[in-house]
């Protein structure tokens, strides 16, 4: 099986640095060496400490930020730039998560954040996803618009550093009834690759990294990756429990 990427988005968790250190230490201890890429995205305030814990050993775990700002530095109270994340060891940044979009993030600011992150050498995990599915398939147009506006004016040479995370909002978080059906994930993944091919080239579209997020757990992870034919997973809740997260990593490794 080709290399997969499994990303843990801790969101605004855990509540203390002590717990964050415990969580990353347990994941590091339990992670067997394999070819898959594991990325942890802790709250930015814990980032340096998490990097420190991961600085030894052959675990291959990388670090990402959960968001960034679109300016390098300056008078932007409360914001953190991609270059700052890079200097403390982050290799990835999540941009356009639905929870940030719900707080007012626009396609325009997402586009600016992606541009700066690429320019500064940070890989981008762009989240897209519809809030509901309609009978006529309008949600495909919605995803197309999210992708095209997020990548507007971005040089195609950066697309190798892009991961698109398909995260249907209705399948995310504790209020979700279930994850998306693997056959629908496969259909959307192909659609996303087609959209990328349209704005770049057939080759880039075919090679694009598309992952899935939304109510992934130990029970459904392998089915989603194999039947959904995705390049990896973005995990929310289950990434906060070392046993569950390691269980997902190990089950994907065994495919
Ligand atoms: C998410 O919010 O990105 C996510 C995938 O959450 P969960 O796994 O908890 O559904």
């Amino acid at each position: 099986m080709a290399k997969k990427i499994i990303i843990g988005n801790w969101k605004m968790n855990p509540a203390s640095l002590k717990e964050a250190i415990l969580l990353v230490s347990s994941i590091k201890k339990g992670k067997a060496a394999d070819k898959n890429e594991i990325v942890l995205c802790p709250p930015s305030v814990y980032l340096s400490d998490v990097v420190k814990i991961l600085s030894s050993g052959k675990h291959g775990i990388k670090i990402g930020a959960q968001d960034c700002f679109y300016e390098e530095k300056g008078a932007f109270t409360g914001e953190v730039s991609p270059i700052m994340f890079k200097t403390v060891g982050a290799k990835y940044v999540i941009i356009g998560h639905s929870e940030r979009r719900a707080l007012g993030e626009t396609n325009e600011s997402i586009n600016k954040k992606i541009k700066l992150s690429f320019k500064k050498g940070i890989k981008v995990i762009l989240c897209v996803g519809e809030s509901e599915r309609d009978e006529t398939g309008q949600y495909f147009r919605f995803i197309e618009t999210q992708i095209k506006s997020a990548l507007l004016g971005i040089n195609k040479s950066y697309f190798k550093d892009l991961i698109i995370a398909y995260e249907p909002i209705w399948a995310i978080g504790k209020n979700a009834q279930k994850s998306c059906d693997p056959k629908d994930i496969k259909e959307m993944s192909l659609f996303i690759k087609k959209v990328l091919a349209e704005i770049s080239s057939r080759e880039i579209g075919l090679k694009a990294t598309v992952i899935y997020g939304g109510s992934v757990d130990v029970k459904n992870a392998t089915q989603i990756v194999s039947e959904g034919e995705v390049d990896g997973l973005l995990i929310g809740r289950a990434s906060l429990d070392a046993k569950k997260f390691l269980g997902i990593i190990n089950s994907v490794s065994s495919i």
Side-chain angles (χ1 to χ4, degrees):
M1 191 191 62
K3 180 176 156 178
K4 302 292 175 197
I5 180 159
I6 299 173
I7 302 165
N9 176 12
W10 291 3
K11 306 189 180 183
M12 203 171 72
N13 299 293
S16 70
L17 175 60
K18 198 173 158 201
E19 290 168 276
I21 288 176
L22 206 67
L23 179 56
V24 65
S25 303
S26 309
I27 293 169
K28 178 184 164 186
K29 196 163 157 229
K31 159 92 176 44
D34 68 10
K35 62 180 185 321
N36 294 329
E37 179 125 325
I38 309 302
V39 182
L40 299 180
C41 300
S44 47
V45 69
Y46 301 150
L47 229 136
S48 292
D49 292 276
V50 170
V51 167
K52 217 178 285 167
I53 301 284
L54 294 173
S55 62
S56 62
K58 282 197 176 146
H59 44 76
I61 303 170
K62 301 214 167 67
I63 289 301
Q66 297 177 11
D67 184 32
C68 66
F69 195 53
Y70 48 73
E71 296 286 348
E72 262 179 65
K73 60 179 181 146
F76 304 102
T77 303
E79 299 292 354
V80 185
S81 80
I83 190 77
M84 290 168 178
F85 283 123
K86 195 178 175 187
T87 60
V88 296
K91 306 278 186 234
Y92 290 86
V93 60
I94 297 173
I95 298 180
H97 191 281
S98 57
E99 286 155 11
R100 297 229 53 88
R101 291 181 194 255
L103 290 170
E105 178 88 285
T106 63
N107 282 328
E108 196 195 359
S109 60
I110 288 169
N111 176 252
K112 292 202 270 184
K113 289 175 177 186
I114 296 176
K115 275 184 182 150
L116 186 62
S117 298
F118 279 153
K119 210 167 126 202
K120 296 298 165 192
I122 301 250
K123 294 184 179 177
V124 169
I125 303 151
L126 167 64
C127 296
V128 297
E130 76 282 359
S131 53
E132 58 183 8
R133 288 195 159 206
D134 57 295
E135 295 279 298
T136 58
Q138 277 309 305
Y139 55 92
F140 283 107
R141 299 283 79 78
F142 182 77
I143 301 293
E144 182 176 2
T145 303
Q146 281 191 325
I147 295 172
K148 287 187 173 169
S149 50
L151 300 176
L152 192 70
I154 292 177
N155 193 307
K156 315 305 171 255
S157 63
Y158 288 124
F159 283 20
K160 61 176 185 347
D161 295 329
L162 173 71
I163 293 166
I164 297 201
Y166 172 55
E167 295 212 304
I169 298 170
W170 50 267
I172 288 180
K174 61 180 185 331
N175 295 327
Q177 307 286 323
K178 56 178 172 49
S179 66
C180 188
D181 190 294
K183 78 170 178 357
D184 295 330
I185 295 174
K186 181 179 169 183
E187 183 182 39
M188 185 55 83
S189 167
L190 287 170
F191 178 75
I192 290 171
K193 286 176 190 235
K194 189 174 133 295
V195 172
L196 280 173
E198 256 173 60
I199 56 172
S200 57
S201 68
R202 187 168 178 271
E203 201 197 348
I204 290 176
L206 283 171
K207 278 194 191 154
T209 305
V210 180
I211 65 173
Y212 168 80
S215 298
V216 177
D217 57 32
V218 192
K219 289 190 205 102
N220 62 13
T222 47
Q223 196 196 7
I224 287 173
V225 172
S226 50
E227 290 174 30
E229 293 185 22
V230 281
D231 303 299
L233 301 165
L234 179 50
I235 322 271
R237 283 158 294 162
S239 72
L240 292 169
D241 180 320
K243 207 168 150 219
K244 286 185 189 165
F245 192 57
L246 288 164
I248 293 172
I249 294 172
N250 292 336
S251 63
V252 171
S253 295
S254 68
I255 297 174

